[in-house]
Amino acid sequence: MNTEHYALQLAEKVERLKMMMAPYTTIEPEVFASPESHYRMRAEFRVWHDGDDLFHIMFDKETKERIRVDQFPVASELINQAMQALLPLIKESTLLRHKLFQIDYLSTLSNKLIISLLYHKKLNDEWTEEAKQLKAKLVSKGFDLQLIGRASKTKIMLDNDYVDEVLPVNGRNMIYRQVENSFTQPNAHVNINMLEWAIAATKGATGDLLELYCGNGNFSLALAQNFECVLATEIAKPSVSAAQYNIAANNINNVQIIRMSAEDFTQAMRGIREFKRLEGINLRDYQCNTIFVDPPRSGLDDKTVQLVQEYDHILYISCNPETLCDNLAVLNETHEVKKLALFDQFPYTHHMESGVLLTRR
């Protein structure tokens, strides 16, 4: 990580995105830079034992070389502080350190933290008691945290397996429950940029919004202000539960979450199959003129692309410009790009997050 080269690396990404998007638009992308350090809110480290010592390590992807990590400028300052405080305390306990092989951290801008300790052994009541003492020591050092133990088919929570993030979005504090081991946006500052860009891109929209792959409601709740109603789908049960909590916590009353895959929902919309999960929900009651998608790296499958084409406006956030372009090759037949953005979620890597707004031709 060389912060001196960050501006150059970002400029190269912008040019690469423009080149990839050239068949579909000549619009200049809006560019949202990342903080140059301490931008990542999640981090996972392997634990290396060396006699009485133990420390965080990572592996070089190419050489597989083991790299000791005492400080990690990529991760949030809170994670770095926790890394320094945690290991000396674990070293004091033979039980806590024995067969510990990984430590996962999840932090928030609201200064909350989840630490997960992963083991190659069974966890019992004795482990739980020592873990409680460990947590108390960390709390006494000023950490507001949840501590979790994981082993094969075992998960021990001392209190909760979630923390509540608070993001300032267009002058309003949005509450987002984040669940351990579930997807959350890794770069909180750039996530705020994405939310504010999406709100601006859909300002003045009419009717309702359909969202596929809604996660914990990250975009659903922020976009609700621009639409009569939001109908959103998500398959992961923990994310759906977090989304339901977030709806209530933010006093938003026009968002409906359905636990379904995008593929099943496509079949339901087309009347191919009926689903018990849709009992009490009449899809025909929604007048969705806009669809929002933030798919996995594989992009949208062919049937979902066909579904997306039925909407006048398409808001598409992509973590993989290659699959975005694959989808645009079809979407471009019926829609044209009106807005383009690059969100540098992953600085110092080749990964790019981008956003496009398309409107029916």
Side-chain angles (χ1 to χ4, degrees):
M1 175 174 148
N2 188 335
T3 56
E4 293 180 4
H5 295 161
Y6 177 66
L8 178 61
Q9 291 176 333
L10 181 57
E12 289 173 348
K13 287 185 182 181
V14 173
E15 290 306 311
R16 180 154 53 96
L17 180 63
K18 288 165 65 173
M19 182 180 68
M20 296 180 74
M21 295 296 296
Y24 313 110
T25 184
T26 57
I27 292 174
E28 282 289 317
E30 297 175 67
V31 179
F32 298 91
S34 170
E36 294 187 11
S37 63
H38 301 304
Y39 50 83
R40 189 171 175 86
M41 309 308 288
R42 304 195 309 258
E44 300 175 359
F45 301 98
R46 281 311 198 54
V47 176
W48 192 260
H49 299 255
D50 185 7
D52 292 334
D53 198 10
L54 76 164
F55 41 87
H56 300 91
I57 64 165
M58 300 180 76
F59 291 99
D60 186 293
K61 288 183 178 179
E62 294 181 2
T63 65
K64 308 301 181 186
E65 179 187 359
R66 186 174 68 248
I67 303 169
R68 177 169 177 158
V69 183
D70 294 319
Q71 286 285 281
F72 193 51
V74 167
S76 68
E77 292 184 10
L78 181 57
I79 289 176
N80 278 272
Q81 292 162 9
M83 291 169 64
Q84 291 290 304
L86 178 65
L87 288 192
L89 296 175
I90 289 181
K91 289 178 188 179
E92 296 172 0
S93 168
T94 302
L95 182 62
L96 292 179
R97 64 184 290 161
H98 182 56
K99 294 198 173 181
L100 172 67
F101 74 92
Q102 184 168 317
I103 303 175
D104 297 349
Y105 298 88
L106 170 64
S107 63
T108 68
L109 294 183
S110 53
N111 217 36
K112 292 179 170 58
L113 182 69
I114 297 177
I115 300 176
S116 301
L117 306 178
L118 282 64
Y119 290 90
H120 286 312
K121 69 176 181 180
K122 288 185 177 181
L123 304 183
N124 53 24
D125 291 344
E126 189 180 359
W127 179 90
T128 302
E129 287 306 310
E130 295 229 11
K132 287 179 179 177
Q133 294 176 33
L134 171 62
K135 180 178 178 180
K137 291 175 183 177
L138 289 168
V139 169
S140 72
K141 292 178 179 289
F143 292 98
D144 183 350
L145 82 154
Q146 303 295 331
L147 187 63
I148 294 170
R150 282 187 171 274
S152 177
K153 299 180 182 178
T154 303
K155 175 180 175 179
I156 297 178
M157 301 177 293
L158 300 190
D159 293 293
N160 300 309
D161 66 346
Y162 59 80
V163 287
D164 292 340
E165 173 67 289
V166 181
L167 298 180
V169 181
N170 280 354
R172 176 185 177 183
N173 284 337
M174 300 288 294
I175 299 168
Y176 290 104
R177 177 152 291 179
Q178 300 189 348
V179 181
E180 186 254 3
N181 216 31
S182 294
F183 176 78
T184 53
Q185 297 287 347
N187 189 324
H189 293 283
V190 175
N191 185 33
I192 293 168
N193 294 148
M194 293 198 301
L195 295 175
E196 293 181 343
W197 178 83
I199 292 169
T202 55
K203 193 171 183 62
T206 58
D208 302 326
L209 172 70
L210 173 63
E211 180 183 354
L212 309 181
Y213 318 96
C214 77
N216 69 349
N218 184 56
F219 284 96
S220 320
L221 304 187
L223 289 171
Q225 62 189 276
N226 286 348
F227 296 90
E228 294 292 324
C229 293
V230 177
L231 180 64
T233 71
E234 171 59 43
I235 189 61
K237 189 178 289 186
S239 294
V240 172
S241 297
Q244 300 288 11
Y245 172 84
N246 296 336
I247 289 169
N250 290 285
N251 297 310
I252 293 173
N253 57 16
N254 64 334
V255 177
Q256 173 75 53
I257 307 289
I258 300 171
R259 193 166 81 85
M260 296 182 77
S261 69
E263 294 75 18
D264 284 350
F265 187 79
T266 300
Q267 292 189 340
M269 287 291 288
R270 296 188 185 285
I272 297 172
R273 288 175 60 194
E274 292 187 0
F275 294 86
K276 286 186 178 180
R277 291 175 186 172
L278 291 176
E279 284 182 3
I281 299 173
N282 186 352
L283 297 179
R284 288 184 291 276
D285 289 343
Y286 291 86
Q287 304 299 317
C288 297
N289 301 323
T290 305
I291 187 167
F292 174 81
V293 290
D294 182 8
R297 291 189 59 78
S298 56
L300 301 174
D301 64 84
D302 293 342
K303 289 184 179 178
T304 306
V305 168
Q306 292 172 12
L307 172 70
V308 164
Q309 281 184 297
E310 296 175 11
Y311 295 83
D312 292 338
H313 307 285
I314 304 166
L315 190 62
Y316 191 139
I317 298 288
S318 169
C319 59
N320 185 347
E322 292 180 358
T323 55
L324 170 62
C325 288
D326 290 342
N327 290 157
L328 285 177
V330 180
L331 296 175
N332 190 57
E333 297 170 0
T334 52
H335 292 69
E336 60 180 324
V337 175
K338 291 294 188 180
K339 291 182 181 293
L340 174 64
L342 187 153
F343 309 102
D344 199 20
Q345 279 255 31
F346 307 99
Y348 314 107
T349 75
H350 71 281
H351 293 295
M352 283 195 295
E353 192 103 0
S354 53
V356 292
L357 176 68
L358 300 107
T359 298
R360 189 180 300 282
R361 293 186 182 278

